[in-house]
Amino acid sequence: MQRGKAAGRLQGRTSATIGDNMKAPEFAYDRPETLAAALAALSAAGPDARLLAGGQSLMPMLNFRVVEPTVLIDINRVPGLDTIEEAGDLIRIGALVRHVAMERSELVATHLPMVHKVMPHIAHAAIRSRGTIGGSLALADPSAELPACMIALEATIVAHSQNGERRIAADDFFIGVYETVLASDEMIVAVEIPKQTARGHAFREIARRHGDYAMVGLAMTTATGVSLDNARIVFFGVAGRPVRAKAAEAAIVGLVAGTEAGECAAAALDGTLEPHGDLNAPPAMKLHLAKVLLKRAIAELQERVS
Amino acid sequence: MSGPLSVFDRPNSYIGRTVPRPNARRLTEGRGRFVDDLSLPRMVHAAFLRSPHAHARIMGIDTGAAKASAGVVAIYSGADLVQHIEPWVGVLTHLKGLRSPPQPAIAVDVARWQGEAVALVLAASRAEAEDAAALIEVDYEPLPIAIDMERALDLDEPVVHADFDSNLAWERLVEQGDVDAALSDPDATIVERTFTFGRHTGVTLEPRCLLAAFDPSERRLTVHYSGQAPHMMQYIYAKHLGLPEDHVRVVADDVGGSFGIKVHTYGDEVAAVAAAMLHGRPVKYVADRFESFQSDIHARGHRVTARMAVSAQGKITGFDMDDLTGIGPYSVYPRTSAIEANQVLNLTCAPYQLPAYRARGRVVFQNKTVMCQYRAVGHPIAIAVAEGMIDAAAVASGRDPVELRRLNLIPDDAYPCASATGMRFNELSHHACLDKLVELIDYDGLRAEQERLRAAGVFRGIGISSFVEVTNPSPMFYGVGGAPIASQDGATVRLDASGAVHISSSVTEQGQGTEAILAQIVATAVGVPLERVRVTTGDTETTPYGGGTWGSRGAGIGGEAALLAGQALRAQVLEAAAVILQAKVESLDIADGKVVDSYTDRERVTLADLARQIYYRGNELPSSLKPELVATRHFRVTDYPFVFTNGCQASWLEVDIETGEVKLLKHWAVEDCGRVINPKLVDEQMRGGVVQGIGGALFEHCIYDDQGQMLNPTMADYLVPMAAEMPDIEIVHVETPTSTSVLGAKGAGEAGTGGAPAAIMNAVNDALRPLDAQVTAQPITPQRILEALKAF
Amino acid sequence: MTKNRRRISFTVNGERVECDVLVRLNLVDFLRAELGFTGTHVGCEHGVCGACTVRVNGAPVRGCLMLAVQADGATVETIEGLNDTGAIPALQDAFVAHNALQCGYCTPGILITALDYLEHGGTADRAVIRERISGNYCRCTGYQSIVDAIAEVAAAPADGGAP
């Protein structure tokens, strides 16, 4: 189904299951110069190949020898995948757009303010120089910010294979830890995100230190800044993939941003959001933090309006 | 000696001045000289296969496939190496009853902690060595593990060493006065607490590393070393590898952080050196970050239960504590893994007048990474326990925490005196420091702000810590117990023909500024501009014999030796100049690199001209004049076992009671470390030390599962302090020079780390007090705060 | 295992380099061991500590998270090059004056991070500086003197030279 499954998350894994190594193993290296060549290489190589885009997550895995691919397919030379464009009501972001380009993009700042706000939370500047949106979404780290944001923003992930194009709603894209619906011969070429002109948004995360993976994070959009209808409440860092808190979304329909709505939404998480625990927080604490974030996000929406 | 002024009053004295470090510039240009920057011809690289089990018998090692792997040069098992490396035992005679079995460099029959090396691979590159290591097949038979220190002494707990009757490595009871009477006084306020401290580690940015080269034709070993104590390692390599000591040269150049981590004997390092001897090619070993977490010494895993009695008059009448610490399967050599507990027993409540004190310490073996001295050894625990109890007693007895300290700190005029544990104090200034701190932080202003914000649901806290710190240790620390650790140090100071002065010193540099302050001291003592002074440290071949840098001794001991040597050189120069210039010695002085008339400052001759005449044109000198322009002096502390410093710190922070996050708003320190040679360098030592202490207080923890596996051996999961979460730290000084030396300098390297965790913990608890929540477990994580608040 | 190599050519510190590199070799190991640019240091090999930060095409990059082969056609600068071209004299002076380094191991990575910050409009706001250097681990200084040094350079009036 997808390649990342073999890679275990470093956090929380016992040392016995990670090798003693910090130098990458041997692998073959291919650097296709066109999309067609990349797709052909991917198809030919089979499930033991890995795509190398930004490398900011793949390289540590290689260094730890948590993954030992037979071939790395470096797609950084594939043209046409590194632009941010306006396309009608959408912003189309190529898969190889670096985080730093998104951070500095006027289009993103104007039309996707949540993304603009999120970017400084993603690791640190040197990571953002290389990391790509395509890589981040394909990796599907459950504590990463962008997958949750894409769901909150109703993004569409555009994937290509030799069989053609597949357009996948972000809602349907993420399956589990390092697991997406991408087939082993498919690669992301772009992400299309509706312009957020009308919608309200809030983003919050709790991390032990600036730039760390979130203990719990929340990406939220609403119909408008005032109305909480059509809300998309997406938590990350709580499960194997980002979680839509649909019960909470339903609980605030018809409400405006304010303390009461916050309490309603938070209460709706009981019994519906069932977080996993990790080294930083047991499940009950993550649920508690999720409620706190949700209340604060809704308060933030209220504040922005007034 | 000439000149009417003491060395400190002289014009152009560098002592007490902030001058930039002469060796800092090149480090900003990428011109560092760290071990991994070195390359020698035919060099090979070492990698280790390490045990994945906390405790396992090694039934067999199959290296067949590994040996055939590309680039492999040799593979050694523990059994191969034990014939060439004498095992060591980490005990000292003055720690009565301390026991530890002989430790092989790498595991032979049994691996006793997850991460213990079981095989060494030499290959053309580190990557190839790792490739080969992955092909070694080890047949392990897992054995029962002991990893919970609370259960280590239970009868049904597995015993780590079959030859020992229990997991007890050492125990000590200190008792003075009648503690039970004090604690059973019905009129006293009694407080009781249990404190736990998470085991954590140093995380030096440059990992442990070495480059060893052996010349078999002369049987000479050279080890390029990243560490603090080259002479100690010279002894250890010689003894355990079967070489005469004078055939071993250890050279430390730039060291990328040490903090005590790199002052111990590591089996993997000795094995790599042995491999260089066996294989006849230089061997480079650089620990990677993963193995650093698993094999660098850990420290500070303690559980302390304490009770304290305070009289109605606010006087501490008794203190009773029980300290338990879990080390690894061996007491680390040669400094032992009992020193940390010993410090906890010796130093808890040390700043206070205390008529009755009882402290029991037990050190137990575990199947976890070995443990030993790490910056501030024991002080973070001793200070957090005492200061936490003081705050608890303040609350319980309705007193302000500053007020309770004022009632009990040893008065500034009470010296010399001794603590309940026999620690001898002199020239301390607890009250002066606390007074200065209270004023510096605007204590009353902070209390008012705290109150105002509480009403708005914002919870801020003030935490104070008052403490002593061990510095300038005498032989009583290690040498007396049989350790090959020098606690005297020397400096050779030489005037060259160019007029430049060269210092060779046995203390070492890891970035704290050792070389800078030695230069400042000698430039002042001799009378030359700072730019004309060169410093050599770290090379056993060319420096005087000494102990290196540890226990905050560089300035106080190394600096004193340099001062004495500098003064001796000055006298030599003036004696020769007097004869040559036909003047009275008392009428001459040296200033700015010139011999001058001491009353008129008129220049008589430059040092360069004088030196050239002496070196090149001896024919011009009277034959009775036999000038020496080089002087060596050594110094050790004799009057006291340690020269204590004292200080206090304050933390001002805010707790988010919904998320458990702690925001550090500000930190202050008032430190009395005796005479300050370079204020900026001392302050920067304090700041770095405070942040390291904050790490242990809030973030750092080596987390193990119940199989003895370390769960967080990466920089992503083991949390070190980074810039965004750290506060600005304001520092002021009180200066009470120690009379144990001319220089009067005490140490300053560790007080920051020792005092900070107590201040942080007290501030958190001060913030939470209205909510009836307390945290006494470090690191104080958001989880622990929320649990104390019963938030989930 | 055969040793996979690839021919690359790129510019390092202003010099054109052409060589066959092991595909598995990362950029910082290559710069240090093959080209002798030992000014950049290795601290963790998983991209967290920042000691290996170099500049690739003008952007700060973790040298341990990039393969040497990926530098093909790129312009790479290390601390040695930045020093020799006089790109960072104000920062270097400020670091020395404020003792914003002790052991010096983190320093090249931090200088490159600071340069990027200043080049992109970084101000003397201490909280912002702390956030922007929060991807570089320093164990010695506790960060305050580093913030002091960067803030001083950020606040200085722009003159003809680079920051």
Side-chain angles (χ1 to χ4, degrees), chain A residues 26-50:
Chain A
E26 282 277 7
F27 47 83
Y29 174 83
D30 191 3
R31 196 179 71 195
E33 306 270 327
T34 67
L35 181 57
L39 295 174
L42 198 51
S43 185
D48 289 328
R50 298 290 300 223

mmCIF file of all heavy atoms in Angstrom, chain A residues 26-50:
data_model
loop_
_atom_site.group_PDB
_atom_site.id
_atom_site.type_symbol
_atom_site.label_atom_id
_atom_site.label_comp_id
_atom_site.label_asym_id
_atom_site.label_seq_id
_atom_site.Cartn_x
_atom_site.Cartn_y
_atom_site.Cartn_z
ATOM 1 N N GLU A 26 24.168 1.496 2.516
ATOM 2 C CA GLU A 26 24.310 1.585 1.059
ATOM 3 C C GLU A 26 22.930 1.609 0.399
ATOM 4 O O GLU A 26 21.991 0.966 0.878
ATOM 5 C CB GLU A 26 25.063 0.362 0.536
ATOM 6 C CG GLU A 26 26.554 0.422 0.739
ATOM 7 C CD GLU A 26 27.270 1.224 -0.349
ATOM 8 O OE1 GLU A 26 26.611 1.851 -1.192
ATOM 9 O OE2 GLU A 26 28.502 1.205 -0.342
ATOM 10 N N PHE A 27 22.815 2.351 -0.658
ATOM 11 C CA PHE A 27 21.608 2.311 -1.475
ATOM 12 C C PHE A 27 21.990 2.765 -2.881
ATOM 13 O O PHE A 27 23.033 3.401 -3.079
ATOM 14 C CB PHE A 27 20.491 3.202 -0.918
ATOM 15 C CG PHE A 27 20.942 4.583 -0.530
ATOM 16 C CD1 PHE A 27 21.064 5.599 -1.484
ATOM 17 C CD2 PHE A 27 21.267 4.877 0.794
ATOM 18 C CE1 PHE A 27 21.502 6.874 -1.120
ATOM 19 C CE2 PHE A 27 21.691 6.147 1.161
ATOM 20 C CZ PHE A 27 21.831 7.146 0.205
ATOM 21 N N ALA A 28 21.153 2.419 -3.845
ATOM 22 C CA ALA A 28 21.340 2.943 -5.200
ATOM 23 C C ALA A 28 20.666 4.307 -5.270
ATOM 24 O O ALA A 28 19.766 4.604 -4.490
ATOM 25 C CB ALA A 28 20.735 1.991 -6.222
ATOM 26 N N TYR A 29 21.113 5.121 -6.175
ATOM 27 C CA TYR A 29 20.629 6.510 -6.243
ATOM 28 C C TYR A 29 20.260 6.846 -7.676
ATOM 29 O O TYR A 29 21.039 6.609 -8.609
ATOM 30 C CB TYR A 29 21.729 7.433 -5.733
ATOM 31 C CG TYR A 29 21.447 8.921 -5.855
ATOM 32 C CD1 TYR A 29 20.687 9.583 -4.902
ATOM 33 C CD2 TYR A 29 21.976 9.670 -6.912
ATOM 34 C CE1 TYR A 29 20.460 10.954 -4.986
ATOM 35 C CE2 TYR A 29 21.749 11.028 -7.006
ATOM 36 C CZ TYR A 29 20.993 11.671 -6.042
ATOM 37 O OH TYR A 29 20.768 13.028 -6.134
ATOM 38 N N ASP A 30 19.072 7.373 -7.812
ATOM 39 C CA ASP A 30 18.593 7.738 -9.145
ATOM 40 C C ASP A 30 18.125 9.179 -9.075
ATOM 41 O O ASP A 30 17.551 9.586 -8.064
ATOM 42 C CB ASP A 30 17.431 6.804 -9.515
ATOM 43 C CG ASP A 30 17.043 6.911 -10.977
ATOM 44 O OD1 ASP A 30 17.706 7.659 -11.728
ATOM 45 O OD2 ASP A 30 16.073 6.231 -11.380
ATOM 46 N N ARG A 31 18.372 9.942 -10.125
ATOM 47 C CA ARG A 31 17.953 11.333 -10.108
ATOM 48 C C ARG A 31 17.261 11.677 -11.418
ATOM 49 O O ARG A 31 17.878 12.224 -12.346
ATOM 50 C CB ARG A 31 19.149 12.244 -9.877
ATOM 51 C CG ARG A 31 18.749 13.658 -9.457
ATOM 52 C CD ARG A 31 19.973 14.529 -9.224
ATOM 53 N NE ARG A 31 20.647 14.850 -10.475
ATOM 54 C CZ ARG A 31 21.882 15.345 -10.541
ATOM 55 N NH1 ARG A 31 22.578 15.543 -9.445
ATOM 56 N NH2 ARG A 31 22.418 15.616 -11.725
ATOM 57 N N PRO A 32 15.975 11.326 -11.513
ATOM 58 C CA PRO A 32 15.244 11.585 -12.760
ATOM 59 C C PRO A 32 15.111 13.084 -13.024
ATOM 60 O O PRO A 32 15.017 13.886 -12.087
ATOM 61 C CB PRO A 32 13.865 10.959 -12.496
ATOM 62 C CG PRO A 32 13.741 10.881 -11.024
ATOM 63 C CD PRO A 32 15.119 10.727 -10.483
ATOM 64 N N GLU A 33 15.125 13.433 -14.272
ATOM 65 C CA GLU A 33 15.073 14.840 -14.655
ATOM 66 C C GLU A 33 13.695 15.276 -15.147
ATOM 67 O O GLU A 33 13.494 16.438 -15.479
ATOM 68 C CB GLU A 33 16.104 15.118 -15.760
ATOM 69 C CG GLU A 33 17.516 14.687 -15.415
ATOM 70 C CD GLU A 33 18.332 15.781 -14.726
ATOM 71 O OE1 GLU A 33 18.132 16.966 -15.036
ATOM 72 O OE2 GLU A 33 19.170 15.444 -13.870
ATOM 73 N N THR A 34 12.763 14.332 -15.231
ATOM 74 C CA THR A 34 11.396 14.675 -15.627
ATOM 75 C C THR A 34 10.425 13.917 -14.744
ATOM 76 O O THR A 34 10.781 12.892 -14.145
ATOM 77 C CB THR A 34 11.094 14.295 -17.088
ATOM 78 O OG1 THR A 34 11.120 12.855 -17.191
ATOM 79 C CG2 THR A 34 12.091 14.920 -18.051
ATOM 80 N N LEU A 35 9.197 14.380 -14.731
ATOM 81 C CA LEU A 35 8.166 13.702 -13.952
ATOM 82 C C LEU A 35 7.933 12.299 -14.492
ATOM 83 O O LEU A 35 7.804 11.337 -13.728
ATOM 84 C CB LEU A 35 6.877 14.528 -13.974
ATOM 85 C CG LEU A 35 5.706 13.946 -13.176
ATOM 86 C CD1 LEU A 35 6.081 13.734 -11.715
ATOM 87 C CD2 LEU A 35 4.476 14.862 -13.283
ATOM 88 N N ALA A 36 7.921 12.192 -15.769
ATOM 89 C CA ALA A 36 7.683 10.872 -16.380
ATOM 90 C C ALA A 36 8.767 9.895 -15.969
ATOM 91 O O ALA A 36 8.495 8.733 -15.629
ATOM 92 C CB ALA A 36 7.615 11.000 -17.904
ATOM 93 N N ALA A 37 10.006 10.381 -15.981
ATOM 94 C CA ALA A 37 11.111 9.497 -15.593
ATOM 95 C C ALA A 37 10.991 9.127 -14.128
ATOM 96 O O ALA A 37 11.273 7.986 -13.735
ATOM 97 C CB ALA A 37 12.446 10.193 -15.873
ATOM 98 N N ALA A 38 10.587 10.087 -13.306
ATOM 99 C CA ALA A 38 10.432 9.794 -11.880
ATOM 100 C C ALA A 38 9.364 8.734 -11.661
ATOM 101 O O ALA A 38 9.553 7.798 -10.882
ATOM 102 C CB ALA A 38 10.075 11.074 -11.121
ATOM 103 N N LEU A 39 8.251 8.876 -12.351
ATOM 104 C CA LEU A 39 7.172 7.907 -12.175
ATOM 105 C C LEU A 39 7.570 6.536 -12.694
ATOM 106 O O LEU A 39 7.203 5.499 -12.111
ATOM 107 C CB LEU A 39 5.906 8.412 -12.870
ATOM 108 C CG LEU A 39 5.323 9.692 -12.265
ATOM 109 C CD1 LEU A 39 4.155 10.202 -13.093
ATOM 110 C CD2 LEU A 39 4.883 9.469 -10.818
ATOM 111 N N ALA A 40 8.320 6.536 -13.757
ATOM 112 C CA ALA A 40 8.776 5.250 -14.301
ATOM 113 C C ALA A 40 9.732 4.580 -13.324
ATOM 114 O O ALA A 40 9.642 3.379 -13.061
ATOM 115 C CB ALA A 40 9.458 5.477 -15.652
ATOM 116 N N ALA A 41 10.637 5.385 -12.758
ATOM 117 C CA ALA A 41 11.595 4.822 -11.804
ATOM 118 C C ALA A 41 10.869 4.279 -10.585
ATOM 119 O O ALA A 41 11.186 3.204 -10.072
ATOM 120 C CB ALA A 41 12.593 5.902 -11.399
ATOM 121 N N LEU A 42 9.895 5.032 -10.128
ATOM 122 C CA LEU A 42 9.121 4.623 -8.957
ATOM 123 C C LEU A 42 8.391 3.314 -9.226
ATOM 124 O O LEU A 42 8.356 2.403 -8.386
ATOM 125 C CB LEU A 42 8.117 5.736 -8.641
ATOM 126 C CG LEU A 42 7.487 5.771 -7.260
ATOM 127 C CD1 LEU A 42 8.541 5.699 -6.190
ATOM 128 C CD2 LEU A 42 6.676 7.061 -7.130
ATOM 129 N N SER A 43 7.806 3.236 -10.383
ATOM 130 C CA SER A 43 7.067 2.038 -10.742
ATOM 131 C C SER A 43 7.992 0.840 -10.843
ATOM 132 O O SER A 43 7.679 -0.254 -10.374
ATOM 133 C CB SER A 43 6.351 2.290 -12.072
ATOM 134 O OG SER A 43 5.538 1.211 -12.391
ATOM 135 N N ALA A 44 9.156 1.059 -11.450
ATOM 136 C CA ALA A 44 10.081 -0.059 -11.664
ATOM 137 C C ALA A 44 10.717 -0.524 -10.372
ATOM 138 O O ALA A 44 11.003 -1.701 -10.189
ATOM 139 C CB ALA A 44 11.166 0.375 -12.656
ATOM 140 N N ALA A 45 10.927 0.408 -9.456
ATOM 141 C CA ALA A 45 11.721 0.070 -8.272
ATOM 142 C C ALA A 45 10.954 -0.739 -7.248
ATOM 143 O O ALA A 45 11.540 -1.467 -6.466
ATOM 144 C CB ALA A 45 12.255 1.348 -7.635
ATOM 145 N N GLY A 46 9.634 -0.593 -7.225
ATOM 146 C CA GLY A 46 8.873 -1.382 -6.273
ATOM 147 C C GLY A 46 8.861 -0.788 -4.871
ATOM 148 O O GLY A 46 9.336 0.325 -4.649
ATOM 149 N N PRO A 47 8.331 -1.533 -3.919
ATOM 150 C CA PRO A 47 8.094 -0.988 -2.577
ATOM 151 C C PRO A 47 9.353 -0.713 -1.758
ATOM 152 O O PRO A 47 9.268 -0.055 -0.738
ATOM 153 C CB PRO A 47 7.233 -2.068 -1.896
ATOM 154 C CG PRO A 47 7.452 -3.305 -2.677
ATOM 155 C CD PRO A 47 7.830 -2.910 -4.065
ATOM 156 N N ASP A 48 10.519 -1.173 -2.190
ATOM 157 C CA ASP A 48 11.718 -0.894 -1.410
ATOM 158 C C ASP A 48 12.440 0.373 -1.842
ATOM 159 O O ASP A 48 13.560 0.628 -1.433
ATOM 160 C CB ASP A 48 12.683 -2.081 -1.490
ATOM 161 C CG ASP A 48 12.149 -3.259 -0.705
ATOM 162 O OD1 ASP A 48 11.459 -3.023 0.318
ATOM 163 O OD2 ASP A 48 12.396 -4.405 -1.130
ATOM 164 N N ALA A 49 11.767 1.161 -2.695
ATOM 165 C CA ALA A 49 12.341 2.447 -3.072
ATOM 166 C C ALA A 49 11.796 3.535 -2.171
ATOM 167 O O ALA A 49 10.721 3.385 -1.599
ATOM 168 C CB ALA A 49 11.987 2.762 -4.521
ATOM 169 N N ARG A 50 12.531 4.614 -2.017
ATOM 170 C CA ARG A 50 12.028 5.775 -1.309
ATOM 171 C C ARG A 50 12.270 6.981 -2.196
ATOM 172 O O ARG A 50 13.308 7.093 -2.834
ATOM 173 C CB ARG A 50 12.766 5.993 0.026
ATOM 174 C CG ARG A 50 12.626 4.871 1.036
ATOM 175 C CD ARG A 50 11.254 4.779 1.595
ATOM 176 N NE ARG A 50 10.887 6.013 2.279
ATOM 177 C CZ ARG A 50 10.257 6.050 3.452
ATOM 178 N NH1 ARG A 50 9.943 4.946 4.067
ATOM 179 N NH2 ARG A 50 9.924 7.202 3.988
#
